[in-house]
Amino acid sequence: MNKLTASHKFDIRFSEVDSMNIVWHGSYTLYFEDAREAFGKKYGLGYMTIFSNGYFAPLVELSFKYKKPLVYEMQPSVVITYVPTEAAKIVFDYEIIDDCDGSVIATGRSVQVFMDRNYQLVWENPEFYRKWKEKWEVL
């Protein structure tokens, strides 16, 4: 089975840190979002692909584990890894890495489900997603 990963280098903006020079915890959500967009571009599973096939993919779970502070002027990257599942879900694991020393700053996981345009939960893999899994050999 293929391991699908992408990496997204990002800058920490001054507006994202508090008076202790530590990144506010809510910003991690945005870093993970940027990683999902980078993954989507690399592997053809972006939000507009999902939408153009008649579905939404809302987040239903999002978790973080903080290992060390992320501070202004660090040079981090977020590595996103697709977690294969037979269910009609998109699951990702994340690692935020300090590019200067390779240490792990934070880890996390997200789970997205599929909803149709009437906001009804979809229990089976949509056809386009099943084909995507076959293409990338992650079934």
Side-chain angles (χ1 to χ4, degrees):
M1 191 175 304
N2 283 335
K3 183 175 181 180
L4 306 182
T5 64
S7 181
H8 176 71
K9 188 171 181 58
F10 62 96
D11 294 318
I12 299 169
R13 296 176 298 189
F14 182 73
S15 63
E16 296 170 340
V17 300
D18 61 19
S19 61
M20 297 178 288
N21 203 35
I22 296 173
V23 170
W24 175 62
H25 65 276
S27 295
Y28 288 73
T29 302
L30 300 174
Y31 304 149
F32 285 9
E33 177 79 19
D34 291 342
R36 285 193 301 277
E37 287 186 7
F39 183 93
K41 287 179 186 174
K42 182 174 180 179
Y43 293 104
L45 191 62
Y47 291 115
M48 293 311 294
T49 300
I50 295 167
F51 182 76
S52 67
N53 279 281
Y55 298 92
F56 302 114
L59 284 169
V60 294
E61 291 180 33
L62 185 60
S63 63
F64 304 89
K65 291 183 181 175
Y66 305 98
K67 307 294 184 184
K68 72 177 204 177
L70 186 57
V71 298
Y72 188 62
E73 295 187 330
M74 273 184 154
Q75 298 177 347
S77 294
V78 58
V79 177
I80 182 171
T81 303
Y82 177 80
V83 179
T85 177
E86 291 184 20
K89 297 179 180 180
I90 304 172
V91 181
F92 290 113
D93 283 337
Y94 305 85
E95 281 190 325
I96 296 179
I97 306 293
D98 183 345
D99 288 348
C100 290
D101 65 10
S103 63
V104 176
I105 297 165
T107 61
R109 176 168 275 208
S110 67
V111 178
Q112 295 167 267
V113 296
F114 292 99
M115 292 173 48
D116 65 22
R117 295 277 175 92
N118 293 316
Y119 303 101
Q120 298 301 306
L121 185 62
V122 175
W123 293 96
E124 300 291 326
N125 283 299
E127 183 178 347
F128 85 93
Y129 186 49
R130 185 185 50 73
K131 288 181 180 180
W132 181 87
K133 287 180 174 185
E134 288 173 0
K135 173 183 177 180
W136 294 102
E137 299 177 353
V138 291
L139 284 175

